[in-house]
Amino acid sequence: MPALFIAFEGGEGSGKSTQIVRLRDDLLAQGHRVFATHEPGATPVGKAIRSLLLDTHEPITPRSEALLFAADRAHHVQTEIRPKLAEGYHVLCDRYIDSSIAYQGTGRTLSMDEVEQLSDWATGGLLPDLTVLLDIAPERGLARAGGRSWLSGRDRLEREPLAFHERVRQGYLSLARRHPERYLVLDAGRPVDELAAEIAAAVRARLAEQPPP
């Protein structure tokens, strides 16, 4: 059976990591091969880029930020995601191109279309078969992410003002409206088990739609 590429998106504290683990375990129990990964920083090169992006207190211009995320993604796709898909692994990725469009396109008020074109070029046009958007109000998500205010967040993006995170949320919802064929939008405030069951059902439906190899 052809492999699926599934991206998990959402703001800070939306529960992406938890749902990736739940879906990974569900697929493994069914006998599938699964590769779970994340952005930025999944490769040695990516870790260096991630440090530049998130661990610094130095200002980074919006266009520079978008280019650095694209560089991480280009390397990640070429060295890990495409090879794993070719080997028959279902790939589950914590953040992908829509993170850049939402965070740099709407969060930084760059052009969504330009950031989307940059991501398309960086990935060679690789899109997820399914994008799971865990939607949550920014103030709730930031509090969930560690009981801290957004101004004392752990990384540079978490420290952005609440208005930035609200623009990010609206960017995600706009993308979901633009690409309903690949989006599953869920209220991240629902119980974890309910969310996991709905995601698993959506993935089973996608698998059933896959043509034979």
Side-chain angles (χ1 to χ4, degrees), residues 134-213:
L134 296 169
D135 179 49
I136 192 168
E139 58 271 28
R140 184 175 181 185
L142 288 162
R144 258 190 181 188
R148 55 185 183 273
S149 74
W150 60 89
L151 293 179
S152 61
R154 290 174 300 178
D155 65 43
R156 196 172 56 83
L157 290 180
E158 288 175 330
R159 292 192 296 267
E160 290 293 332
L162 188 60
F164 169 86
H165 293 283
E166 183 56 44
R167 290 195 300 273
V168 169
R169 183 191 188 190
Q170 295 308 315
Y172 274 129
L173 293 173
S174 174
L175 284 165
R177 290 190 294 269
R178 287 168 59 177
H179 305 289
E181 71 285 351
R182 69 171 173 88
Y183 257 87
L184 173 66
V185 182
L186 300 172
D187 177 357
R190 291 168 53 196
V192 169
D193 289 347
E194 284 186 15
L195 291 171
E198 191 163 344
I199 293 167
V203 170
R204 285 194 294 273
R206 295 285 171 139
L207 287 170
E209 295 169 358
Q210 290 292 92

Side-chain angles (χ1 to χ4, degrees), residues 8 28 43 50 61 82 119 152-153 160 166 186 191 201 203:
F8 285 73
L28 288 172
T43 66
R50 179 187 177 91
T61 64
R82 284 191 184 275
S119 294
S152 61
E160 290 293 332
E166 183 56 44
L186 300 172
V203 170

Side-chain angles (χ1 to χ4, degrees), residues 5-99:
F5 178 26
I6 303 169
F8 285 73
E9 299 283 3
E12 312 302 327
S14 58
K16 300 184 309 303
S17 299
T18 297
Q19 292 303 329
I20 286 174
V21 170
R22 295 291 294 268
L23 180 58
R24 181 200 64 192
D25 291 348
D26 183 73
L27 289 169
L28 288 172
Q30 297 176 52
H32 295 283
R33 294 193 292 175
V34 184
F35 177 68
T37 187
H38 65 274
E39 293 187 351
T43 66
V45 168
K47 284 184 175 66
I49 296 173
R50 179 187 177 91
S51 182
L52 286 172
L53 280 165
L54 301 181
D55 296 340
T56 182
H57 285 265
E58 294 296 320
I60 300 175
T61 64
R63 288 180 182 272
S64 298
E65 185 178 88
L67 288 166
L68 285 167
F69 275 110
D72 169 79
R73 184 165 299 121
H75 189 71
H76 187 207
V77 167
Q78 187 67 26
T79 62
E80 292 202 342
I81 294 177
R82 284 191 184 275
K84 288 297 184 182
L85 290 170
E87 293 169 12
Y89 285 82
H90 299 305
V91 175
L92 315 181
C93 192
D94 186 341
R95 300 201 181 281
Y96 190 57
I97 60 171
D98 291 345
S99 279

